[in-house]
Amino acid sequence: MRILFVCSGNICRSPLGAQVLQERLGPAASAHVIESAGTIADDGAVMDGAAAAQSVRLGGHPEAHRSRYLTERIAGSADLVLTAERSHRSAAVQLAPRAAKRAFTIKQFARVLDGLEPGDLADVHSPEALVERVARLRGTVPPPADPADDDVDDPYRRAESTHVRVADEIDTALTTIADALRAVS
């Protein structure tokens, strides 16, 4: 299964998400290709230092990361697209319209998982089926009062406290997502 994280420059949130999910999945990560891209990325940039420090704090390995620009091929080949913001989800779906059913913000996917009833996933036995079920049931879970609550703030060039808060938000959502992926693998 291909899991794609998308943000703007592909130097903060999306590589952080990919690295943290890799860690949260543990040995189950080997069953997935976890990658990232950015809607305005310059190909080949290293990860932002403050974001890389948060990745290390959460167990990630940012050293090898190099940014890449989101393309139709990249968006279209993903089985699950997890974006930092709703605008990134929109950009991925514009590039690859068939990705609409597989694209969520990171926090939205976790929120829907948290809002499902225990029996909603009882007959789900693969990561792909999990994505399909969450897509089908996303409308049954109440949205946040403020739609922006499904977005992850951009910490680029902001205070360390912002980087810590953003990393913790991503980690909380990805812990929920990793638990669900492991349960169906």
Side-chain angles (χ1 to χ4, degrees), residues 10 20 28 44 47-48 53 61 81 91 104 113 115 146 167 171 177 182:
N10 193 216
V20 169
M47 197 167 170
D48 173 73
H61 304 279
V81 180
F104 307 81
L113 282 169
D146 181 354
D171 187 34
I177 294 168
R182 276 195 313 277

Side-chain angles (χ1 to χ4, degrees), residues 62-131:
E63 305 79 22
H65 174 75
R66 296 297 177 268
S67 64
R68 66 184 181 152
Y69 185 75
L70 180 66
T71 65
E72 177 183 357
R73 182 191 61 74
I74 294 168
S77 68
D79 298 302
L80 173 59
V81 180
L82 294 171
T83 68
E85 299 174 20
R86 291 164 294 142
S87 63
H88 301 127
R89 180 190 182 279
S90 179
V93 169
Q94 282 182 325
L95 287 170
R98 290 181 179 215
K101 291 182 179 180
R102 308 183 301 271
F104 307 81
T105 71
I106 297 166
K107 290 167 72 174
Q108 176 192 30
F109 197 79
R111 177 178 55 77
V112 173
L113 282 169
D114 282 338
L116 296 178
E117 297 296 325
D120 289 337
L121 301 177
D123 62 340
V124 173
H125 302 293
S126 73
E128 294 82 3
L130 176 69
V131 173

Side-chain angles (χ1 to χ4, degrees), residues 26-57:
S30 63
H32 308 287
V33 174
I34 303 170
E35 54 195 355
S36 65
T39 58
I40 58 169
D42 289 327
D43 287 338
V46 298
M47 197 167 170
D48 173 73
Q54 294 309 309
S55 177
V56 170
R57 177 177 69 87

